[in-house]
Coordinates of all heavy atoms in Angstrom, one line a residue:
M1 N 0.9 -1.2 0.0 CA 0.0 0.0 0.0 C 0.9 1.2 0.0 O 1.8 1.4 0.8 CB -0.9 0.0 1.3 CG -1.8 1.1 1.3 SD -2.9 1.1 2.8 CE -3.9 -0.3 2.5
N2 N 0.6 2.1 -0.9 CA 1.5 3.3 -1.0 C 0.9 4.4 -0.1 O -0.1 4.3 0.5 CB 1.6 3.8 -2.5 CG 0.3 4.4 -3.0 OD1 -0.5 4.9 -2.3 ND2 0.1 4.2 -4.3
I3 N 1.7 5.5 0.0 CA 1.4 6.6 1.0 C 0.0 7.2 0.7 O -0.7 7.6 1.6 CB 2.5 7.6 1.1 CG1 2.3 8.6 2.3 CG2 2.6 8.4 -0.2 CD1 2.8 8.0 3.5
E4 N -0.3 7.4 -0.6 CA -1.6 8.0 -0.9 C -2.8 7.2 -0.5 O -3.8 7.7 0.0 CB -1.6 8.3 -2.4 CG -0.7 9.5 -2.8 CD -0.9 9.8 -4.3 OE1 -1.9 9.5 -4.9 OE2 0.1 10.4 -4.8
E5 N -2.6 5.9 -0.7 CA -3.7 5.0 -0.3 C -3.9 5.0 1.2 O -5.0 4.9 1.8 CB -3.4 3.5 -0.8 CG -3.5 3.4 -2.3 CD -3.1 2.0 -2.8 OE1 -2.3 1.3 -2.0 OE2 -3.5 1.6 -3.8
E6 N -2.8 5.0 1.9 CA -2.8 5.1 3.4 C -3.5 6.4 3.9 O -4.3 6.4 4.8 CB -1.4 5.0 4.0 CG -0.9 3.6 3.9 CD 0.5 3.4 4.6 OE1 0.7 4.1 5.6 OE2 1.3 2.7 4.1
I7 N -3.1 7.5 3.2 CA -3.7 8.8 3.6 C -5.2 8.8 3.3 O -6.0 9.2 4.2 CB -3.0 9.9 2.8 CG1 -1.6 10.1 3.4 CG2 -3.8 11.2 3.0 CD1 -0.8 11.1 2.6
N8 N -5.6 8.2 2.2 CA -7.1 8.1 1.9 C -7.8 7.2 2.9 O -8.9 7.5 3.2 CB -7.3 7.6 0.4 CG -7.0 8.7 -0.6 OD1 -7.1 9.9 -0.3 ND2 -6.6 8.2 -1.8
L9 N -7.1 6.1 3.3 CA -7.7 5.3 4.3 C -7.9 6.0 5.6 O -9.0 5.8 6.2 CB -6.8 4.0 4.4 CG -7.4 2.9 5.4 CD1 -8.6 2.3 4.8 CD2 -6.3 1.8 5.5
I10 N -6.9 6.7 6.0 CA -7.0 7.5 7.3 C -8.1 8.6 7.2 O -8.9 8.7 8.1 CB -5.7 8.2 7.6 CG1 -4.7 7.1 8.0 CG2 -5.8 9.2 8.7 CD1 -3.2 7.6 8.1
R11 N -8.2 9.3 6.0 CA -9.3 10.3 5.8 C -10.7 9.6 5.9 O -11.6 10.2 6.5 CB -9.1 11.0 4.5 CG -7.9 12.0 4.5 CD -7.8 12.7 3.2 NE -6.7 13.6 3.3 CZ -6.1 14.1 2.2 NH1 -6.4 13.7 1.0 NH2 -5.1 15.0 2.4
C12 N -10.8 8.5 5.3 CA -12.1 7.7 5.3 C -12.4 7.4 6.7 O -13.6 7.5 7.1 CB -12.0 6.5 4.4 SG -13.5 5.6 4.3
R13 N -11.5 6.8 7.4 CA -11.7 6.5 8.8 C -12.1 7.7 9.7 O -13.0 7.6 10.5 CB -10.5 5.8 9.4 CG -10.7 5.2 10.8 CD -9.5 4.5 11.3 NE -8.4 5.4 11.5 CZ -7.2 5.2 11.2 NH1 -6.8 4.0 10.6 NH2 -6.2 6.1 11.4
N14 N -11.4 8.8 9.4 CA -11.7 10.0 10.2 C -13.2 10.5 9.9 O -13.9 11.0 10.8 CB -10.7 11.1 9.8 CG -9.4 10.9 10.5 OD1 -9.3 10.0 11.4 ND2 -8.4 11.6 10.1
R15 N -13.6 10.4 8.6 CA -14.9 10.8 8.2 C -16.0 10.0 8.9 O -17.0 10.5 9.4 CB -15.1 10.8 6.7 CG -14.6 12.0 6.0 CD -15.1 12.0 4.5 NE -14.7 10.8 3.8 CZ -13.6 10.7 3.1 NH1 -12.7 11.6 3.1 NH2 -13.4 9.6 2.4
K16 N -15.7 8.7 9.0 CA -16.6 7.8 9.7 C -16.7 8.1 11.2 O -17.7 8.1 11.8 CB -16.2 6.3 9.5 CG -17.1 5.3 10.1 CD -16.7 3.9 10.0 CE -17.6 2.9 10.6 NZ -18.2 3.2 11.9
A17 N -15.5 8.4 11.8 CA -15.5 8.7 13.2 C -16.2 10.0 13.5 O -16.9 10.1 14.5 CB -14.0 8.8 13.7
E18 N -16.1 11.0 12.6 CA -16.8 12.3 12.7 C -18.3 12.1 12.6 O -19.1 12.6 13.3 CB -16.3 13.3 11.7 CG -14.9 13.8 12.0 CD -14.3 14.6 10.8 OE1 -15.0 14.8 9.8 OE2 -13.2 15.0 10.9
A19 N -18.7 11.2 11.6 CA -20.1 10.9 11.5 C -20.7 10.2 12.7 O -21.8 10.5 13.2 CB -20.4 10.1 10.2
D20 N -19.9 9.2 13.2 CA -20.4 8.5 14.4 C -20.5 9.5 15.6 O -21.5 9.4 16.4 CB -19.4 7.4 14.8 CG -19.4 6.2 13.9 OD1 -20.5 6.1 13.2 OD2 -18.5 5.4 13.9
K21 N -19.6 10.4 15.8 CA -19.6 11.4 16.8 C -20.8 12.3 16.7 O -21.5 12.6 17.6 CB -18.3 12.2 16.9 CG -18.3 13.3 18.0 CD -18.3 12.7 19.3 CE -18.2 13.7 20.4 NZ -18.4 13.2 21.7
A22 N -21.1 12.7 15.4 CA -22.2 13.6 15.2 C -23.5 12.9 15.5 O -24.4 13.5 16.1 CB -22.2 14.0 13.7
W23 N -23.6 11.6 15.2 CA -24.8 10.9 15.6 C -24.9 10.8 17.1 O -26.0 10.9 17.7 CB -24.8 9.5 15.0 CG -25.9 8.6 15.5 CD1 -25.7 7.5 16.3 CD2 -27.3 8.7 15.3 NE1 -26.9 6.9 16.6 CE2 -27.9 7.6 16.0 CE3 -28.1 9.6 14.5 CZ2 -29.3 7.4 15.9 CZ3 -29.4 9.4 14.5 CH2 -30.0 8.3 15.2
E24 N -23.8 10.5 17.8 CA -23.9 10.3 19.3 C -24.4 11.6 20.0 O -25.0 11.5 21.0 CB -22.5 10.0 19.8 CG -22.1 8.6 19.5 CD -22.9 7.5 20.1 OE1 -23.3 7.7 21.3 OE2 -23.3 6.5 19.5
I25 N -24.1 12.8 19.4 CA -24.5 14.0 20.1 C -25.7 14.6 19.5 O -26.2 15.7 19.9 CB -23.3 15.0 20.2 CG1 -22.9 15.4 18.8 CG2 -22.2 14.5 21.0 CD1 -21.9 16.5 18.7
S26 N -26.3 14.0 18.5 CA -27.5 14.6 17.8 C -28.8 14.5 18.6 O -29.0 13.6 19.4 CB -27.7 13.9 16.4 OG -28.2 12.6 16.6
N27 N -29.6 15.5 18.3 CA -30.9 15.5 18.9 C -31.8 14.3 18.4 O -32.6 13.8 19.1 CB -31.6 16.8 18.7 CG -31.0 17.9 19.6 OD1 -30.5 17.6 20.7 ND2 -31.0 19.1 19.1
M28 N -31.6 14.0 17.1 CA -32.3 12.9 16.5 C -32.1 11.6 17.2 O -33.0 10.8 17.5 CB -31.9 12.8 15.0 CG -32.7 11.7 14.3 SD -34.4 12.0 14.4 CE -34.8 12.0 12.7
R29 N -30.9 11.3 17.6 CA -30.6 10.1 18.4 C -31.3 10.1 19.8 O -31.9 9.2 20.2 CB -29.1 10.0 18.6 CG -28.7 8.8 19.5 CD -27.2 8.7 19.8 NE -26.9 7.7 20.8 CZ -27.0 7.9 22.1 NH1 -27.3 9.1 22.6 NH2 -26.7 6.9 22.9
K30 N -31.3 11.3 20.4 CA -31.9 11.4 21.7 C -33.4 11.2 21.6 O -34.0 10.5 22.4 CB -31.6 12.8 22.3 CG -30.2 13.0 22.7 CD -29.9 14.4 23.2 CE -28.4 14.6 23.4 NZ -28.1 16.0 23.7
I31 N -34.0 11.7 20.5 CA -35.5 11.5 20.3 C -35.8 10.1 20.0 O -36.7 9.5 20.6 CB -35.9 12.5 19.2 CG1 -35.9 13.9 19.6 CG2 -37.3 12.1 18.7 CD1 -36.1 14.9 18.5
A32 N -34.9 9.5 19.2 CA -35.1 8.0 18.9 C -35.0 7.2 20.1 O -35.9 6.3 20.3 CB -34.1 7.6 17.8
V33 N -34.1 7.4 20.9 CA -33.9 6.6 22.2 C -35.0 6.9 23.1 O -35.6 6.0 23.8 CB -32.5 6.9 22.8 CG1 -32.4 6.2 24.2 CG2 -31.4 6.4 21.9
A34 N -35.5 8.1 23.2 CA -36.6 8.5 24.1 C -37.9 7.8 23.7 O -38.6 7.2 24.5 CB -36.8 10.0 24.2
L35 N -38.1 7.8 22.4 CA -39.3 7.1 21.9 C -39.3 5.6 22.1 O -40.3 5.0 22.4 CB -39.5 7.5 20.4 CG -40.0 8.9 20.1 CD1 -40.0 9.2 18.6 CD2 -41.4 9.2 20.7
T36 N -38.1 5.1 21.8 CA -37.9 3.6 22.1 C -38.2 3.3 23.5 O -38.9 2.3 23.8 CB -36.5 3.2 21.6 OG1 -36.3 3.5 20.2 CG2 -36.3 1.7 21.8
A37 N -37.6 4.1 24.4 CA -37.8 3.9 25.9 C -39.3 4.0 26.2 O -39.8 3.2 27.0 CB -37.0 4.9 26.7
Y38 N -39.9 4.9 25.7 CA -41.4 5.2 25.9 C -42.2 3.9 25.5 O -43.0 3.4 26.3 CB -41.9 6.4 25.2 CG -43.3 6.7 25.4 CD1 -43.8 7.1 26.7 CD2 -44.2 6.5 24.4 CE1 -45.2 7.3 26.8 CE2 -45.6 6.7 24.5 CZ -46.1 7.1 25.8 OH -47.4 7.4 26.0
F39 N -41.9 3.4 24.3 CA -42.7 2.3 23.8 C -42.4 1.0 24.6 O -43.2 0.2 24.8 CB -42.6 2.1 22.3 CG -43.3 3.2 21.6 CD1 -42.6 4.1 20.8 CD2 -44.7 3.3 21.7 CE1 -43.3 5.1 20.1 CE2 -45.4 4.3 21.0 CZ -44.7 5.2 20.2
V40 N -41.1 0.8 24.9 CA -40.7 -0.4 25.7 C -41.4 -0.3 27.1 O -41.9 -1.3 27.6 CB -39.2 -0.5 25.9 CG1 -38.8 -1.5 26.9 CG2 -38.6 -0.8 24.5
M41 N -41.4 0.9 27.7 CA -42.0 1.0 29.0 C -43.6 0.8 28.9 O -44.2 0.2 29.9 CB -41.7 2.4 29.6 CG -40.3 2.5 30.1 SD -39.7 1.2 31.1 CE -40.8 1.2 32.5
I42 N -44.2 1.2 27.9 CA -45.6 0.9 27.7 C -45.8 -0.6 27.6 O -46.7 -1.1 28.3 CB -46.1 1.6 26.4 CG1 -46.2 3.1 26.5 CG2 -47.5 1.0 26.0 CD1 -46.6 3.8 25.2
C43 N -45.0 -1.3 26.9 CA -45.1 -2.7 26.8 C -44.9 -3.4 28.2 O -45.7 -4.3 28.6 CB -44.1 -3.3 25.8 SG -44.5 -2.8 24.1
V44 N -43.9 -3.0 28.9 CA -43.6 -3.6 30.2 C -44.8 -3.3 31.1 O -45.3 -4.2 31.8 CB -42.3 -3.0 30.8 CG1 -42.2 -3.3 32.3 CG2 -41.1 -3.5 30.0
M45 N -45.3 -2.1 31.2 CA -46.4 -1.8 32.1 C -47.7 -2.5 31.6 O -48.5 -2.8 32.5 CB -46.6 -0.2 32.1 CG -45.5 0.5 32.8 SD -45.7 2.3 32.8 CE -44.4 2.8 33.8
Y46 N -47.9 -2.7 30.4 CA -49.1 -3.4 29.9 C -49.0 -4.9 30.3 O -50.0 -5.4 30.8 CB -49.2 -3.3 28.4 CG -50.4 -4.0 27.8 CD1 -51.6 -3.4 27.9 CD2 -50.3 -5.2 27.2 CE1 -52.7 -4.0 27.3 CE2 -51.4 -5.8 26.6 CZ -52.6 -5.2 26.7 OH -53.7 -5.8 26.2
V47 N -47.8 -5.5 30.1 CA -47.6 -6.9 30.5 C -47.8 -7.0 32.0 O -48.4 -8.0 32.5 CB -46.2 -7.4 30.1 CG1 -45.9 -8.7 30.8 CG2 -46.2 -7.5 28.6
L48 N -47.4 -6.1 32.8 CA -47.5 -6.1 34.3 C -48.9 -5.7 34.7 O -49.2 -5.6 35.9 CB -46.5 -5.2 34.9 CG -45.0 -5.7 34.8 CD1 -44.1 -4.6 35.3 CD2 -44.8 -7.1 35.4
K49 N -49.8 -5.4 33.7 CA -51.2 -5.0 34.0 C -51.3 -3.7 34.9 O -52.1 -3.7 35.8 CB -52.0 -6.1 34.6 CG -52.1 -7.3 33.6 CD -52.8 -8.4 34.2 CE -53.2 -9.5 33.3 NZ -52.5 -10.4 32.6
M50 N -50.4 -2.8 34.7 CA -50.4 -1.6 35.5 C -51.4 -0.6 34.9 O -51.7 -0.7 33.7 CB -49.0 -0.9 35.5 CG -48.0 -1.8 36.1 SD -46.3 -1.0 36.1 CE -46.5 0.2 37.4
E51 N -52.0 0.2 35.7 CA -53.0 1.2 35.2 C -52.3 2.3 34.4 O -51.2 2.7 34.7 CB -53.7 1.8 36.4 CG -54.6 0.9 37.1 CD -55.4 1.6 38.2 OE1 -55.8 2.8 38.0 OE2 -55.7 1.0 39.2
N52 N -53.0 2.7 33.4 CA -52.5 3.9 32.5 C -51.1 3.7 32.1 O -50.2 4.6 32.4 CB -52.7 5.2 33.3 CG -54.1 5.4 33.7 OD1 -55.0 5.2 32.9 ND2 -54.3 5.9 34.9
P53 N -50.7 2.7 31.3 CA -49.3 2.5 30.9 C -48.9 3.6 30.0 O -47.7 4.0 30.0 CB -49.3 1.2 30.2 CG -50.7 0.9 29.8 CD -51.6 1.6 30.8
F54 N -49.8 4.3 29.2 CA -49.4 5.3 28.3 C -48.9 6.6 29.1 O -48.0 7.3 28.7 CB -50.5 5.7 27.4 CG -50.8 4.6 26.4 CD1 -51.8 3.7 26.6 CD2 -50.0 4.5 25.2 CE1 -52.1 2.7 25.7 CE2 -50.3 3.5 24.3 CZ -51.3 2.6 24.5
I55 N -49.6 6.8 30.2 CA -49.2 7.9 31.1 C -48.0 7.6 32.0 O -47.0 8.3 32.1 CB -50.4 8.4 32.0 CG1 -51.5 8.9 31.0 CG2 -49.9 9.4 33.0 CD1 -52.8 9.2 31.7
G56 N -48.0 6.4 32.5 CA -46.9 5.9 33.4 C -45.6 5.8 32.7 O -44.5 6.1 33.3
A57 N -45.6 5.5 31.4 CA -44.4 5.4 30.6 C -43.7 6.8 30.4 O -42.5 6.8 30.0 CB -44.6 4.7 29.3
I58 N -44.4 7.8 30.6 CA -43.8 9.2 30.4 C -42.7 9.4 31.5 O -41.7 10.1 31.2 CB -44.9 10.2 30.5 CG1 -45.9 10.1 29.3 CG2 -44.3 11.6 30.6 CD1 -47.1 11.0 29.4
I59 N -42.9 8.9 32.7 CA -42.0 9.2 33.8 C -40.6 8.7 33.5 O -39.6 9.5 33.5 CB -42.5 8.7 35.1 CG1 -43.8 9.4 35.5 CG2 -41.5 8.8 36.2 CD1 -44.6 8.8 36.6
P60 N -40.3 7.5 33.1 CA -39.0 7.1 32.8 C -38.4 7.7 31.6 O -37.2 8.0 31.5 CB -39.0 5.5 32.7 CG -40.5 5.2 32.5 CD -41.3 6.3 33.1
T61 N -39.3 8.0 30.6 CA -38.9 8.7 29.4 C -38.4 10.1 29.8 O -37.3 10.6 29.3 CB -40.0 8.8 28.4 OG1 -40.4 7.4 28.1 CG2 -39.5 9.4 27.1
L62 N -39.1 10.8 30.6 CA -38.7 12.2 31.0 C -37.4 12.1 31.8 O -36.5 12.9 31.7 CB -39.7 12.8 31.9 CG -41.0 13.3 31.1 CD1 -42.0 13.9 32.1 CD2 -40.6 14.4 30.1
G63 N -37.2 11.0 32.6 CA -35.9 10.8 33.3 C -34.8 10.7 32.4 O -33.7 11.3 32.6
F64 N -35.0 9.9 31.3 CA -33.9 9.8 30.3 C -33.6 11.2 29.7 O -32.4 11.5 29.5 CB -34.3 8.8 29.2 CG -33.4 8.9 28.0 CD1 -32.2 8.4 28.0 CD2 -33.9 9.6 26.8 CE1 -31.3 8.5 26.9 CE2 -33.0 9.8 25.7 CZ -31.8 9.2 25.8
I65 N -34.6 11.9 29.3 CA -34.4 13.2 28.6 C -33.7 14.1 29.6 O -32.7 14.8 29.2 CB -35.7 13.8 28.1 CG1 -36.3 13.0 27.0 CG2 -35.6 15.3 27.7 CD1 -37.7 13.3 26.6
L66 N -34.1 14.2 30.8 CA -33.4 15.0 31.8 C -31.9 14.6 32.0 O -31.1 15.5 32.2 CB -34.1 15.1 33.1 CG -35.5 15.8 33.1 CD1 -36.2 15.6 34.4 CD2 -35.3 17.3 32.8
S67 N -31.7 13.3 32.0 CA -30.3 12.8 32.2 C -29.4 13.2 31.0 O -28.3 13.6 31.2 CB -30.3 11.3 32.4 OG -30.6 10.6 31.2
T68 N -30.0 13.2 29.8 CA -29.1 13.6 28.7 C -28.9 15.1 28.7 O -27.8 15.6 28.3 CB -29.8 13.2 27.3 OG1 -31.1 13.9 27.2 CG2 -29.9 11.7 27.2
V69 N -29.9 15.9 29.1 CA -29.7 17.4 29.2 C -28.6 17.7 30.2 O -27.7 18.5 30.0 CB -31.0 18.1 29.5 CG1 -30.8 19.5 29.8 CG2 -32.0 18.0 28.3
S70 N -28.8 17.1 31.4 CA -27.8 17.4 32.5 C -26.4 16.8 32.1 O -25.4 17.5 32.4 CB -28.2 16.8 33.8 OG -28.3 15.4 33.7
A71 N -26.3 15.7 31.4 CA -25.0 15.2 31.0 C -24.4 16.1 30.0 O -23.1 16.3 30.1 CB -25.2 13.8 30.4
D72 N -25.1 16.7 29.1 CA -24.6 17.7 28.2 C -24.0 18.9 28.9 O -22.9 19.4 28.6 CB -25.6 18.1 27.1 CG -25.9 17.1 26.1 OD1 -25.1 16.1 26.0 OD2 -26.9 17.2 25.4
L73 N -24.7 19.4 29.9 CA -24.3 20.5 30.7 C -23.0 20.2 31.5 O -22.1 21.0 31.5 CB -25.4 21.0 31.6 CG -26.6 21.6 31.0 CD1 -27.7 21.9 32.0 CD2 -26.3 22.9 30.2
V74 N -23.0 19.0 32.1 CA -21.8 18.6 32.9 C -20.6 18.5 31.9 O -19.5 18.9 32.2 CB -22.1 17.3 33.6 CG1 -20.8 16.8 34.2 CG2 -23.1 17.5 34.7
K75 N -20.8 17.9 30.7 CA -19.7 17.8 29.8 C -19.2 19.1 29.3 O -18.0 19.3 29.3 CB -20.2 17.0 28.5 CG -19.2 16.8 27.5 CD -19.7 16.1 26.3 CE -18.6 16.0 25.2 NZ -19.1 15.4 24.0
K76 N -20.1 20.1 29.1 CA -19.6 21.4 28.7 C -18.8 22.1 29.8 O -17.7 22.7 29.5 CB -20.8 22.3 28.3 CG -21.4 22.0 27.0 CD -22.6 22.8 26.6 CE -23.2 22.4 25.4 NZ -24.4 23.1 25.0
I77 N -19.2 22.0 31.0 CA -18.5 22.5 32.1 C -17.1 21.8 32.3 O -16.1 22.5 32.4 CB -19.3 22.4 33.4 CG1 -20.5 23.3 33.4 CG2 -18.4 22.7 34.6 CD1 -21.5 23.0 34.5
R78 N -17.1 20.5 32.1 CA -15.9 19.7 32.3 C -14.9 20.1 31.1 O -13.7 20.3 31.4 CB -16.2 18.3 32.2 CG -15.0 17.4 32.2 CD -14.2 17.4 33.5 NE -13.1 16.5 33.4 CZ -11.9 16.8 33.7 NH1 -11.6 18.0 34.1 NH2 -10.9 15.9 33.5
M79 N -15.4 20.3 29.9 CA -14.5 20.6 28.8 C -13.9 22.0 29.0 O -12.8 22.2 28.6 CB -15.3 20.5 27.5 CG -15.7 19.1 27.2 SD -14.4 17.9 27.1 CE -13.7 18.2 25.6
K80 N -14.7 22.9 29.5 CA -14.2 24.3 29.7 C -13.1 24.2 30.7 O -12.1 24.9 30.6 CB -15.3 25.2 30.2 CG -16.1 25.8 29.1 CD -17.1 26.8 29.7 CE -18.0 27.3 28.6 NZ -18.9 28.3 29.1
K81 N -13.2 23.4 31.8 CA -12.2 23.3 32.8 C -11.0 22.5 32.2 O -9.8 22.9 32.5 CB -12.7 22.5 34.0 CG -11.8 22.5 35.1 CD -12.4 21.8 36.4 CE -11.4 21.7 37.5 NZ -11.9 21.1 38.7
F82 N -11.2 21.5 31.5 CA -10.1 20.7 30.9 C -9.3 21.5 29.9 O -8.1 21.4 29.9 CB -10.7 19.4 30.3 CG -9.6 18.5 29.9 CD1 -9.0 17.7 30.8 CD2 -9.3 18.3 28.5 CE1 -8.0 16.8 30.4 CE2 -8.3 17.4 28.1 CZ -7.7 16.7 29.1
Y83 N -10.0 22.2 29.0 CA -9.3 23.0 28.0 C -9.4 24.5 28.4 O -10.2 25.2 28.0 CB -10.0 22.8 26.6 CG -9.8 21.5 26.0 CD1 -10.9 20.6 25.8 CD2 -8.6 21.0 25.6 CE1 -10.7 19.4 25.3 CE2 -8.4 19.8 25.1 CZ -9.5 19.0 24.9 OH -9.3 17.7 24.3
K84 N -8.5 24.8 29.3 CA -8.4 26.2 29.8 C -8.0 27.2 28.6 O -7.3 26.8 27.7 CB -7.4 26.3 30.9 CG -7.8 25.5 32.1 CD -6.7 25.6 33.2 CE -7.2 24.8 34.4 NZ -6.3 23.7 34.7
N85 N -8.6 28.4 28.7 CA -8.3 29.4 27.7 C -8.7 29.0 26.3 O -8.1 29.5 25.4 CB -6.8 29.8 27.8 CG -6.4 30.3 29.1 OD1 -7.2 31.0 29.8 ND2 -5.2 30.0 29.5
G86 N -9.7 28.2 26.2 CA -10.2 27.8 24.9 C -9.3 26.9 24.0 O -9.5 26.7 22.9
E87 N -8.1 26.5 24.6 CA -7.2 25.7 23.8 C -7.7 24.3 23.7 O -8.4 23.7 24.5 CB -5.8 25.6 24.4 CG -5.8 24.9 25.8 CD -4.5 25.0 26.5 OE1 -3.9 26.1 26.5 OE2 -4.1 24.0 27.1
T88 N -7.6 23.7 22.5 CA -7.9 22.3 22.2 C -6.7 21.7 21.5 O -5.7 22.3 21.3 CB -9.2 22.2 21.4 OG1 -8.9 22.8 20.1 CG2 -10.4 22.8 22.0
C89 N -6.9 20.4 21.2 CA -5.8 19.8 20.5 C -5.6 20.4 19.1 O -6.5 20.8 18.5 CB -6.0 18.3 20.4 SG -7.5 17.8 19.5
H90 N -4.3 20.5 18.7 CA -3.9 21.1 17.4 C -4.4 22.5 17.3 O -4.6 22.9 16.1 CB -4.4 20.2 16.3 CG -4.0 18.8 16.4 ND1 -2.7 18.4 16.4 CD2 -4.7 17.6 16.6 CE1 -2.6 17.1 16.5 NE2 -3.8 16.6 16.6
G91 N -4.6 23.2 18.3 CA -5.0 24.6 18.3 C -6.4 24.9 17.7 O -6.7 26.0 17.4
R92 N -7.3 23.9 17.7 CA -8.6 24.2 17.2 C -9.5 24.7 18.2 O -9.5 24.5 19.4 CB -9.2 22.8 16.7 CG -8.5 22.4 15.4 CD -9.2 21.1 14.9 NE -8.4 20.6 13.8 CZ -8.6 19.5 13.3 NH1 -9.6 18.7 13.6 NH2 -7.8 19.0 12.3

C-alpha cells in the first residue's frame, strides 16, 4: 500500500469517526432513544397490568431526557475546565 492509499484510508476512517460522533450527540438520536424507551415502558407496564401505561411510561422517558440534558451541561463545564483558555488539541 502506497502513502496516498494510506492517507485516503485515514481520511475515510476520520470521516466515519466524525459521522459517528455527530450521531452520538445529535438530537435525532436522543429523540429516537426516548421514543424507544417510551414504547418499551408501555409494553412492560401493559404486561404487568399496570394502570394507565401510556401515562406511566412518560416518567422514565422524562428521566432519560433530563439525564441527557444534564449530561450535556456537565460535559460542557468539564470541557471548559479541561481546555483552559479555549485551547484544544492542534490549536482548534
Side-chain angles (χ1 to χ4, degrees):
M1 181 179 294
N2 67 32
I3 190 82
E4 287 182 26
E5 290 173 338
E6 288 184 36
I7 290 171
N8 286 333
L9 185 64
I10 291 169
R11 286 181 179 157
C12 183
R13 187 179 63 224
N14 287 347
R15 281 193 300 271
K16 183 183 181 316
E18 289 170 4
D20 287 343
K21 179 63 177 174
W23 170 250
E24 287 296 318
I25 63 174
S26 73
N27 288 330
M28 180 60 123
R29 177 185 170 275
K30 293 173 187 174
I31 291 168
V33 173
L35 289 174
T36 301
Y38 178 71
F39 289 116
V40 167
M41 289 309 302
I42 288 172
C43 293
V44 168
M45 291 179 173
Y46 182 78
V47 168
L48 295 175
K49 297 180 171 66
M50 297 180 78
E51 290 185 34
N52 302 315
F54 292 98
I55 295 172
I58 292 172
I59 295 168
T61 304
L62 288 176
F64 165 76
I65 292 169
L66 290 174
S67 71
T68 60
V69 169
S70 64
D72 288 344
L73 292 174
V74 170
K75 179 182 176 183
K76 286 179 184 176
I77 292 168
R78 173 70 179 129
M79 294 305 282
K80 279 185 180 180
K81 184 177 180 180
F82 187 76
Y83 291 115
K84 296 177 178 122
N85 301 325
E87 65 186 41
T88 59
C89 58
H90 304 299
R92 291 183 188 172

